[in-house]
Amino acid sequence: MSSLSNAVVVCLLIGAAWLLRHLWHDRYWRESGLQLWRRRPLALITLAVFLGIGLMDSIGWVGGGGGEDDEVAALRSRTLIDRLFQPERFTEASYSAPLAAVSFYGGQPLKYPGSHLLGTDILGRDVVYRALKGIRVALLIGGFTSLIVIPIALLFGVSAGYFGKRIDDAVFFVMTVLASVPSLLLLIALVMVMGRGTVQVCIALGITGWVHFCRIARGETLKLREAEFVDAARALGVSDRRIIWRHILPNIAHLIIITFALSFTGLVLAETILSYLGIGVDGSWGQMIDQARNELSRTPIVWWNLTGASVGLFALVLAVNMIADALRDIIDPRTRREGQ
Amino acid sequence: MAAYLIRRLGYGLMTVLGVLLLLFVLFFTVTDPDDIARKAVGERARPEVYAQWKKNHGYDRPLLVNRAYAASDRRRYTDTLLFDHYRRMLSFDFGNSDADDSSISRRLKEGMGPSLSLTVPLFVFGLVLGVLLALFVAFFRETYIDRAALVVCMLTMSIAGLLYIISGQYLIGMLLKWFPISGFAFEPWLAARFLALPLLVGIVSGMGADVRLYRTIFVEEINRDYVRTARAKGCGEARVMLAHVLRNALIPILTNIVITIPFLFTGALLLESFFGIPGLGSLTVEAIHGNDFSTLRTMVYLGALLFIAGQILTDISYALADPRVRLS
């Protein structure tokens, strides 16, 4: 498992580097990017920190760096975050308040007094550690799912829009059918029939999210197909494949990026609902919130679990929402706000 | 118009058949009747019990072709799961629950009242409040009020629905004790007390996205030429907003609203189950926890049906208003 995760991280980093280099050489994208940086520096930094932690939590290897006293842990691959926190040792018996020196119920001295920044949960696990682990899960749900789904949606959407006729009819029908089922119900049905689990939830989110991208790709391609520069390319004898690759895809890229940013937050928030229903992803913020939902009624109140998860969720969703909003203003002239 | 109507209804019917096919693939092949039966009677049940359960719930037939009949017999294709699935769903005969054998149609009828008593006020109050707030914000466009409102919208949009419910129950139900935390009653006055908190939470959690959307629509309308004409003939700004902008903006707002009607039906899922309202949302949540596939299938089908009907109605009203749609 760890070697696969490491390989994916390396591929993603190489892909991102290639993409950034490519975009940097294009004047339009470079200027849009700089404008985004000027308008939303905080959101971009937050996102970068989250991405960094997510990557640190994806690179892991077996052995070394503590945990040898526990035989099971010694054989398991441990990520950078695991090595930083040593979760096998860094636990208490049960609840402890943030930075407390004694346990929450009973008042026995803690193993690590004053070192749990956000306290510990009912099983004595450090809340900061669990909240940080949630970052990788959230990025996986929101980002990785979309990254896999977008190329498939583009393939169907663009070919439907470009070639029309039978292909369009078929793709459009499938889209209509999938879009007719309210997405939350479809999501629940998919997870229920495929069984619970991280991969299943990601596939279900992919199937429900696919339609959105496909519809936008198809709609834009339909418009672009009639554009003069496409006519000109066709008149010059350029092949269909090259027209799609060089003339259509670059012209719908901005819409796909905006849709990606918007769907990211939708996916992360949808997972919290699935977690509440008991069919979510293991280790997600949604699960933390779900487990903590009755803790507010304890006396004295246990608030740090809920806080840890919700602050993480809120920060990520807000950062992506802010970026999406600014991106839409910058690259999509039609929705540009009044006076800007 | 008649030709357009027939074409649109025909496509709607095709979509319904497509949804049913999707449901068949999901509920009969991805998870097959054997899985469902095993989950219902338990892993170690005797084979007779298992077979009897499948027979009682109509899962004992083959999927596509029933080889027990001769090739010329019509029942070779009609006495199958696929045909039965279509026949029962299209005639609204939903059968019994996989979990407790109760009649699904009866439970749907029972759940309809509580569900609608939550979603209809939620829809109406949410719409009116959202439009009024957006109108207010659009009136002060390009000022600090507008900026502040957009920031607040963005902040409230980024909070998970689950958190709104948990904090609403804690703050208003537990600390302030204004309303009961959860429960339901069928007498109107008691029900109003129980519904107040879920309504409040539901309206607040949806407000950010709504106000932002309506504001965009209003600002778009304000930039139209007819607004300039209205101002030129001497209308006051309040009259421009209420008599001209609001009326014209209602069309795009309503089209957005019609599409959300079926989502209200599913959106109440969280609210209902958290606040103990025995509606259709709670029924769905129970079905998930109890591996009740037949109820789940029915809910998905009904949700899709409502959505398709809503879209057909939107399209027809468009066609009535705009002759170009009919002819294309």
Side-chain angles (χ1 to χ4, degrees), chain A residues 223-245:
Chain A
K223 265 182 244 159
L224 287 172
R225 191 177 61 172
E226 311 295 330
E228 269 138 18
F229 62 86
V230 173
D231 270 347
R234 210 175 285 135
L236 287 170
V238 180
S239 70
D240 284 338
R241 201 169 50 167
R242 203 174 152 76
I243 290 179
I244 289 176
W245 191 249

Side-chain angles (χ1 to χ4, degrees), chain B residues 222-291:
Chain B
I222 288 172
N223 290 331
R224 295 277 173 87
D225 288 338
Y226 70 83
V227 175
R228 197 179 309 132
T229 313
R231 285 204 190 105
K233 76 174 186 189
C235 278
E237 196 62 18
R239 193 176 152 72
V240 169
M241 291 298 279
L242 292 175
H244 296 270
V245 173
L246 179 60
R247 283 183 83 174
N248 281 288
L250 274 183
I251 301 164
I253 289 176
L254 284 181
T255 48
N256 271 300
I257 280 294
V258 169
I259 293 182
T260 61
I261 288 176
F263 289 103
L264 273 177
F265 172 80
T266 57
L269 207 85
L270 280 187
L271 284 177
E272 282 180 23
S273 86
F274 257 98
F275 289 98
I277 299 165
L280 297 178
S282 298
L283 185 65
T284 314
V285 175
E286 268 172 49
I288 295 164
H289 290 313
N291 281 320

Side-chain angles (χ1 to χ4, degrees), chain A residues 8-141:
Chain A
V8 169
V9 170
V10 171
C11 287
L12 274 181
L13 283 177
I14 294 173
W18 178 81
L19 196 70
L20 279 179
R21 205 181 134 254
H22 204 76
L23 293 180
W24 190 252
H25 284 298
D26 188 314
R27 194 167 141 261
Y28 168 75
W29 287 110
R30 187 172 62 231
E31 279 174 6
S32 302
L34 288 175
Q35 210 178 335
L36 182 65
W37 168 249
R38 275 196 301 275
R39 288 176 65 167
R40 296 277 190 265
L42 258 175
L44 280 175
I45 291 172
T46 314
L47 188 65
V49 169
F50 275 46
L51 278 174
I53 295 173
L55 285 177
M56 273 170 70
D57 199 17
S58 305
I59 301 169
W61 62 93
V62 181
E68 282 84 5
D69 42 339
D70 184 344
E71 276 179 35
V72 182
L75 289 174
R76 208 186 309 134
S77 156
R78 288 142 45 86
T79 66
L80 283 170
I81 293 287
D82 293 334
R83 281 156 205 278
L84 215 64
F85 276 86
Q86 305 285 352
E88 294 85 5
R89 271 186 269 158
F90 194 52
T91 56
E92 308 296 341
S94 184
Y95 286 121
S96 70
L99 297 176
V102 290
S103 74
F104 194 61
Y105 294 118
Q108 286 95 6
L110 293 180
K111 279 198 285 178
Y112 295 89
S115 52
H116 295 289
L117 204 60
L118 267 176
T120 53
D121 68 358
I122 190 164
L123 296 175
R125 294 172 293 187
D126 188 69
V127 171
V128 174
Y129 169 71
R130 292 194 69 205
L132 288 182
K133 290 292 269 188
I135 291 177
R136 176 172 178 266
V137 179
L139 292 175
L140 214 66
I141 295 164

Side-chain angles (χ1 to χ4, degrees), chain A residues 263-279:
Chain A
S263 82
F264 182 97
T265 57
L267 290 175
V268 176
L269 292 178
E271 196 277 336
T272 62
I273 299 178
L274 288 187
S275 282
Y276 166 68
L277 296 172
I279 47 182

